[in-house]
């Protein structure tokens, strides 16, 4: 009788363990991103991305800012899982086609790098990691800091334009709005001030800031401009952006738009901030203090260290791991259903059947 009880107990323990594994419990055992996630499966991955980015930016230096922005947009809408890269379908408008994302660029860069990684290591490196590494290297290649980041992200299979507006700073957002948005992702007011420093590279369409140049006072029909803007800078911008211009691109940092430096903070402190959300940083005590400290800094050390830390924090938002996502073969479309995708589940079910059979036999003893 004791032997039969022991057999039953052993069978129950095995079945219980199986159920825990199949259900993915406990969560603490799940895989996370890690440094060097591809060291064994595709050891050349990070070097390949850097090599490609070096060649791309040598030819088109203006793409550094767009790639950095593309990654931040991806992370804030659904997490850093590559949903911004997906194309719309007949039944769904994807994030990239939201009116708020109209000016995004760099998709072809990610697609190009991913295609070369697929040749070298088929089905290994995710699109979300390609985007994260490309953004990281955009900073490094514009004389910014080297930022160690983890890899091993998986790609999401959902992208909806409806998710963009609730997770994107509105053009007229106040600094309180911006801080509240960042707090939703466990980012601080300091992270806001630091990550805004990414505007030291890149450009913006005239449509993003023209309300500050023309008819700023909505109750008036005159050509008034934002009084917080430096008058000379306003005149310069009006020369670049005529009323109604939606196509022209203007440097976010007029002093050094292709170099990752402190120029952005000096511009903001001097009221030469292109976007209203940049100007808003001066209206909160903490963000203002950070802006002014960097504007008066004689070296980039503090900003570079802070940016590396804040970028790393952002890169962890909503990542997918532990088979909760997929490794897309093409970044613009989800993988088609295949027999191979169901293989792990089939194996698990066969194992479950075997163990339940063992349990039944134990009860029969």
């Amino acid at each position: 009788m004791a032997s039969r009880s022991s057999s039953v107990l052993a069978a129950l323990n095995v079945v219980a363990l199986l159920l825990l594994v199949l259900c993915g419990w406990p969560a603490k055992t799940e895989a996370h991103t890690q440094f060097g996630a591809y060291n064994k499966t595709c050891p050349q991955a990070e070097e390949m991305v850097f090599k490609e980015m070096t060649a791309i930016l040598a030819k088109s230096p203006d793409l550094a800012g767009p790639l950095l922005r593309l990654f931040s947009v991806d992370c804030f809408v659904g997490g850093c899982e590559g949903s911004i890269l997906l194309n719309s379908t007949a039944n769904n408008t994807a994030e990239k086609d939201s009116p708020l994302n109209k000016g995004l660029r760099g998709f072809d860069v990610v697609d190009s790098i991913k295609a070369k990684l697929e040749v070298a290591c088929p089905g290994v490196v995710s699109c979300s990691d390609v985007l994260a590494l490309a953004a990281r290297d955009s900073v490094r290649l514009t004389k910014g800091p080297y930022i160690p980041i983890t890899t091993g992200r998986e790609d999401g299979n959902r992208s909806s334009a409806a998710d963009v507006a609730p997770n994107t700073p509105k053009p007229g957002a106040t600094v309180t709005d911006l801080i509240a948005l960042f707090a939703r992702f466990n980012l601080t007011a300091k992270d806001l001030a630091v990550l805004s420093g990414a505007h030291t590279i890149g450009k913006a369409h005239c449509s993003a800031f023209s309300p500050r140049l023309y008819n700023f006072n909505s109750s008036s029909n005159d050509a008034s401009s934002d009084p917080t803007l430096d008058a000379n800078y306003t005149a310069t911008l009006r020369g670049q952006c005529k009323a109604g211009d939606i196509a022209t691109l203007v440097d976010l940092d007029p002093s050094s738009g292709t170099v990752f430096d402190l120029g952005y903070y000096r511009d903001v402190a001097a009221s030469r901030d292109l976007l209203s959300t940049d100007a808003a940083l001066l209206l909160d005590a903490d963000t203002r203090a950070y802006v002014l400290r960097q504007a008066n800094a004689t070296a980039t050390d503090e900003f570079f260290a802070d940016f590396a830390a804040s970028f790393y924090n952002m890169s962890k938002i909503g990542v997918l791991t532990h088979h909760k996502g997929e490794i897309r073969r093409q970044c613009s479309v989800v993988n088609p259903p295949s027999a191979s995708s169901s293989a792990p589940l089939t194996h698990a079910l066969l194992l479950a059947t075997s163990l339940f059979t063992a349990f039944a036999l134990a009860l029969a003893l």
Side-chain angles (χ1 to χ4, degrees), residues 137-310:
D137 291 342
S138 291
V139 175
R140 180 183 179 186
L141 289 166
T142 51
K143 301 183 180 180
Y146 170 73
I147 307 172
I149 60 171
T150 57
T151 49
R153 296 168 187 78
E154 295 172 1
D155 301 320
N157 56 16
R158 179 184 181 279
S159 181
S160 174
D163 295 334
V164 175
N167 298 291
T168 301
K170 296 176 177 56
T174 66
V175 69
T176 302
D177 296 331
L178 297 172
I179 291 172
L181 175 63
F182 271 58
R184 287 169 47 194
F185 302 100
N186 294 319
L187 298 176
T188 65
K190 179 180 178 180
D191 288 317
L192 168 62
V194 171
L195 291 172
S196 293
H199 290 175
T200 189
I201 58 174
K203 299 175 181 288
H205 285 92
C206 291
S207 56
F209 57 88
S210 59
R212 303 186 73 194
L213 305 180
Y214 303 101
N215 301 323
F216 180 74
N217 184 351
S218 59
S219 63
S220 172
N221 291 321
D222 62 16
S224 62
S225 60
D226 185 344
T228 65
L229 270 175
D230 174 79
N232 291 330
Y233 186 47
T234 298
T236 298
L237 293 176
R238 283 183 169 180
Q240 294 174 292
C241 298
K242 302 303 181 184
D245 184 347
I246 61 173
T248 302
L249 287 166
V250 176
D251 284 330
L252 287 162
D253 174 359
S255 60
S256 54
T258 59
V259 179
F260 202 92
D261 58 15
L262 297 172
Y264 165 79
Y265 293 109
R266 291 166 183 154
D267 292 333
V268 174
S271 298
R272 294 193 301 269
D273 36 64
L274 196 64
L275 306 178
S276 61
T277 49
D278 294 330
L281 297 179
L282 295 176
L283 302 179
D284 172 80
D286 292 333
T287 55
R288 177 184 176 85
Y290 191 84
V291 168
L292 296 181
R293 187 163 69 253
Q294 298 313 317
N296 293 308
T298 57
T300 58
D301 296 7
E302 181 187 20
F303 171 50
F304 280 13
D306 289 342
F307 191 86
S310 292

Side-chain angles (χ1 to χ4, degrees), residues 4 7 11 44 106 131 135 148 178 203 254 269 278 290 321 334 356:
R4 180 174 182 274
S7 298
Q44 69 271 46
L131 177 55
L178 297 172
K203 299 175 181 288
D278 294 330
Y290 191 84
T321 58
V334 297
F356 277 112

